[in-house]
Amino acid sequence: MAFTSWSHLRLRLPHLARTQPLTVRAFSATVMSPPSKAVVYDRQGPPDSVTRVVELPPVEVKENDVCIKMLASPINPSDINRIEGVYPVRPQVPAVGGYEGVGEVFSVGSAVKGLLPGDWVIPSPPSSGTWQTYVVKDQSVWHKINKESPMEYAATITVNPLTALRMLEDFITLNPGDAIVQNGATSIVGQCIIQLAQYRGIHSINIIRDRAGSDEAKEKLKNLGADEVFTESQLEVKNVKGLLTNLPEPALGFNCVGGNAASLVLKFLRQSGTMVTYGGMSKKPITVSTSSFIFKDLSLRGFWLQKWMSSDKANECRPMIDYLLDRAREGKLKYEMELVPFNDFHTALDKALGKLGSQPKQVLTF
């Protein structure tokens, strides 16, 4: 494909011929980014079939633009869904993959203030096109962060940890001593919920799938601060609340699985409790008993981070990201990741797609 068809990605080919003397450009020399290597896709479809790594030409750095040398960017499930074409919001193709990450300022436009070469930044709110070695976007896209932040956490701090933080704060008021319940507790959002809740003195009841290694998973979650961890089969009893020892009934629950796992969350909730759904990994619907609505007056809510960040609350997310990175630097927020060189993108993609069994989150390094 000719690069001229990539105009919406703001790519510019060098002029092949000049019709004016060089002195015409003497007063406003054009600043260009370095050439970039990028993961692109020309159509939606299976990510391992439609993505390819290509060389992109330099991009003009306009007066309000910042050129970023990317340092790290994760492969999130939502990135895969965008490429597949099943995510509610996705970039126009052809497109560069990736949605969050961390980079170092390489150069700035003449009108840019507050950012200098060498600063670390993240796109905030997240912005498409982070799977490339150099990214050029308006200065308003970039949020300067503390360079002492662990690189892999800076690259992954927005989508999952921010989701956990917002869900803990946006639905009911939780006080120290209260409890929450969640399924999908081994997910990164689930691990973040456990740690952020513990940091605030809030107890967590956690539900995981029955699978090989569940005992190890329970131990790992308890080391992160989980109060209780149950497999789904352990909850096949009439009175699940009888399994709790000294914990209060939770008023807030989180569901990222659906199906029976969502019903188990509902069983734990106290009168007038709320369950927030933010995912549906089982691809099964949520079934709620009539008695849960009538006699327990339960509420079902939903949360989608992208919608939250596109609202008038978007400007609030940057201090929250700083707060989360502070916790990561303190060792109070951690989750397992695997750093993979960008040149090994397709291996990392296979792991992210589950082709090689259960794997930690894949983070591309540039």
Side-chain angles (χ1 to χ4, degrees):
M1 176 187 303
F3 280 119
T4 51
S5 67
W6 292 72
S7 58
H8 66 274
L9 293 178
R10 303 179 61 231
L11 301 177
R12 300 289 186 268
L13 279 173
H15 292 295
L16 298 179
R18 295 183 183 274
T19 58
Q20 299 293 330
L22 288 175
T23 53
V24 171
R25 301 174 61 85
F27 296 104
S28 58
T30 300
V31 177
M32 305 296 288
S33 75
S36 187
K37 185 181 288 187
V39 174
V40 302
Y41 54 103
D42 306 322
R43 59 187 173 86
Q44 267 92 33
D48 51 353
S49 299
V50 301
T51 57
R52 56 198 175 94
V53 180
V54 302
E55 296 281 348
L56 300 182
V59 179
E60 182 181 352
V61 182
K62 298 179 181 178
E63 63 176 6
N64 289 310
D65 285 344
V66 180
C67 176
I68 304 301
K69 182 183 185 301
M70 291 302 296
L71 299 174
S73 179
I75 303 178
N76 288 318
S78 55
D79 296 322
I80 292 170
N81 293 155
R82 284 184 179 87
I83 297 170
E84 291 171 332
V86 299
Y87 202 71
V89 177
R90 50 192 180 272
Q92 179 185 351
V93 294
V96 176
Y99 191 61
E100 68 172 333
V102 61
E104 181 177 84
V105 175
F106 181 81
S107 63
V108 299
S110 59
V112 171
K113 299 184 184 302
L115 290 176
L116 295 170
D119 288 342
W120 277 24
V121 294
I122 63 172
S124 176
S127 179
S128 295
T130 55
W131 292 351
Q132 57 183 316
T133 50
Y134 290 91
V135 180
V136 176
K137 292 193 177 184
D138 189 88
Q139 62 179 331
S140 62
V141 170
W142 306 107
H143 172 51
K144 182 179 175 180
I145 64 168
N146 189 327
K147 289 182 71 170
E148 295 181 3
S149 302
M151 181 183 70
E152 63 271 31
Y153 286 92
T156 58
I157 202 68
T158 304
V159 170
N160 290 312
L162 188 57
T163 292
L165 179 63
R166 292 316 326 147
M167 291 196 303
L168 283 168
E169 295 191 350
D170 283 359
F171 294 94
I172 70 167
T173 299
L174 292 168
N175 298 308
D178 288 344
I180 60 94
V181 58
Q182 66 169 339
N183 60 31
T186 57
S187 69
I188 289 185
V189 173
Q191 293 177 56
C192 290
I193 285 172
I194 290 169
Q195 293 168 87
L196 293 172
Q198 186 195 44
Y199 189 79
R200 298 166 179 221
I202 298 164
H203 303 289
S204 65
I205 302 156
N206 302 275
I207 304 167
I208 64 174
R209 291 181 297 160
D210 288 274
R211 60 179 179 180
S214 59
D215 288 339
E216 291 83 353
K218 285 183 180 182
E219 190 64 27
K220 182 183 293 186
L221 295 181
K222 290 200 171 184
N223 287 337
L224 291 178
D227 291 273
E228 295 283 0
V229 185
F230 301 105
T231 60
E232 293 179 9
S233 63
Q234 285 181 284
L235 301 178
E236 293 173 356
V237 295
K238 188 171 184 179
N239 179 22
V240 297
K241 294 174 185 177
L243 299 172
L244 302 180
T245 52
N246 299 317
L247 297 184
E249 290 181 290
L252 182 63
F254 303 117
N255 164 52
C256 68
V257 180
N260 181 60
S263 301
L264 295 175
V265 170
L266 293 170
K267 282 186 177 183
F268 276 105
L269 291 178
R270 74 184 187 200
Q271 186 77 20
S272 301
T274 298
M275 183 175 77
V276 180
T277 292
Y278 66 97
M281 292 189 295
S282 72
K283 299 182 180 179
K284 295 179 180 178
I286 297 168
T287 303
V288 187
S289 67
T290 303
S291 61
S292 293
F293 278 131
I294 297 176
F295 303 117
K296 292 183 67 179
D297 190 26
L298 298 182
S299 297
L300 303 184
R301 301 286 302 277
F303 181 83
W304 183 29
L305 182 68
Q306 184 157 333
K307 181 180 179 182
W308 183 88
M309 289 191 297
S310 63
S311 70
D312 58 358
K313 295 177 184 266
N315 291 334
E316 299 177 20
C317 70
R318 294 186 175 186
M320 296 171 193
I321 286 166
D322 294 337
Y323 167 83
L324 291 166
L325 286 174
D326 286 344
R327 303 289 80 76
R329 282 197 303 277
E330 294 169 356
K332 303 274 170 111
L333 185 66
K334 51 192 174 183
Y335 39 88
E336 189 178 358
M337 293 172 277
E338 181 179 359
L339 301 181
V340 183
F342 184 54
N343 289 337
D344 294 333
F345 166 74
H346 283 290
T347 299
L349 180 62
D350 284 346
K351 290 183 178 181
L353 291 170
K355 290 185 175 182
L356 303 175
S358 179
Q359 300 285 337
K361 177 174 283 295
Q362 299 294 293
V363 179
L364 304 170
T365 58
F366 298 85

